Amino acid sequence: MTTFKKVFSANWATPAAILTFLILLWIGSMTMPRFIFPSLGGIFEALWEVLTQRYDPLFTTLVRYIVALGAAIIVGWAIGLLMGAFRQYFGAYMRQVTAIIQAIPALSWVLLAVLWLENIEVRIFATTFLIALPFFVIAVYEGVRDMDKDILEAVDQFRPSKWQVLRVLLIPQSFVTLIMSVRSTAAMTLKLLVFFELIGASNGVGQQFSEAQTTYRVDLILAWTIVLVIINFIILRIIDAVEHRVLSWRTEAVVR
């Protein structure tokens, strides 16, 4: 019984959230006309159709997502780390560049990419990469800036080189904020990529949303939404596993 209570207390939130989502779908299907909100059975039939017959667009979107997000993480981590290490010149300059990139609306990037870039894959990669990049740059840079001053002064007593400071202090510190930023940015990046596909691509999940809207397949729109929610849960679980392994030394404060 004790073991069951421990397992339940650690894993109750996910099924509870899924049950809440299903209840909301059921309420919508019971209170709205069928042509606006299909029944639960119709939604799950469309979900089965997506998983068995329309999986190619999903695979295309996931490959684009992994490539664009991975590139944004690596480049953003490198830029943020160098900004923190060389704040007076490189850091000051890149803060302004990052602010400009972040201030440009996502729709502007999409429309310009459609006009400037002929290749669809380059178009989707560029827009997704440029939207996600500033989040990782700022997170890593702020994480390096927030490092304990006493630690820096203690290490400075040994007269380390710039490379030694980077390798021993700044790189490990940057991983903490990098993983935290991935947690908060991963889902947003996926949503933006699907939106970019809707506007500037001829395939992928975004194009499937457009096709479902054109043919008035509300069941397919909800089915694709459920698929994206499931993918987001999987992404969060992967990030949790990486965080637990890489940052296992960090303790979690619990309010009793």
Side-chain angles (χ1 to χ4, degrees):
M1 183 63 70
T2 304
T3 303
F4 173 79
K5 287 182 178 180
K6 289 182 179 179
V7 173
F8 178 78
S9 62
N11 299 282
W12 69 270
T14 298
I18 294 173
L19 180 61
T20 303
F21 185 69
L22 291 175
I23 291 174
L24 291 175
L25 289 178
W26 176 76
I27 293 174
S29 66
M30 296 297 292
T31 56
M32 297 182 186
R34 284 287 182 264
F35 67 91
I36 296 178
F37 206 111
S39 65
L40 280 180
I43 295 173
F44 284 113
E45 286 179 6
L47 180 61
W48 179 254
E49 178 183 343
V50 166
L51 296 177
T52 57
Q53 302 176 27
R54 299 174 179 262
Y55 48 82
D56 285 344
L58 179 60
F59 178 77
T60 300
T61 297
L62 288 178
V63 171
R64 290 170 174 165
Y65 173 73
I66 293 172
V67 172
L69 183 65
I73 290 173
I74 295 172
V75 176
W77 171 73
I79 293 176
L81 186 63
L82 293 175
M83 286 172 62
F86 306 97
R87 300 177 197 177
Q88 188 174 1
Y89 298 105
F90 184 74
Y93 170 74
M94 286 305 301
R95 283 183 64 185
Q96 306 310 315
V97 172
T98 304
I100 293 173
I101 295 175
Q102 196 171 27
I104 297 175
L107 186 59
S108 297
W109 287 121
V110 177
L111 296 178
L112 291 173
V114 170
L115 294 173
W116 291 347
L117 302 174
E118 182 178 357
N119 186 280
I120 293 176
E121 299 305 325
V122 175
R123 182 188 304 166
I124 297 298
F125 171 83
T127 50
T128 307
F129 173 81
L130 288 171
I131 293 296
L133 179 66
F135 293 95
F136 300 111
V137 172
I138 294 172
V140 173
Y141 173 63
E142 294 296 335
V144 172
R145 284 184 63 195
D146 290 340
M147 178 172 290
D148 193 333
K149 185 178 179 180
D150 293 336
I151 296 178
L152 288 173
E153 291 178 351
V155 172
D156 193 52
Q157 300 299 319
F158 297 95
R159 298 291 188 269
S161 64
K162 203 70 172 180
W163 165 245
Q164 289 174 323
V165 174
L166 273 171
R167 181 171 57 85
V168 176
L169 284 181
L170 301 188
I171 290 179
Q173 173 71 14
S174 67
F175 277 130
V176 177
T177 51
L178 180 65
I179 293 176
M180 297 298 101
S181 62
V182 171
R183 176 187 295 279
S184 60
T185 308
M188 180 208 68
T189 304
L190 180 60
K191 289 185 289 187
L192 286 174
L193 187 143
V194 172
F195 172 69
F196 298 156
E197 290 179 334
L198 178 67
I199 297 177
S202 58
N203 54 9
V205 174
Q207 188 273 336
Q208 291 294 306
F209 272 107
S210 178
E211 179 183 321
Q213 187 269 338
T214 303
T215 57
Y216 216 78
R217 290 287 306 274
V218 181
D219 56 340
L220 274 179
I221 294 175
L222 292 173
W224 278 114
T225 302
I226 292 173
V227 168
L228 293 178
V229 170
I230 293 173
I231 291 174
N232 185 58
F233 268 96
I234 295 173
I235 292 171
L236 290 178
R237 290 293 179 270
I238 294 174
I239 295 173
D240 286 340
V242 173
E243 179 183 349
H244 180 73
R245 184 174 184 84
V246 177
L247 306 180
S248 58
W249 52 270
R250 297 174 71 239
T251 57
E252 182 179 0
V254 179
V255 180
R256 301 184 182 278

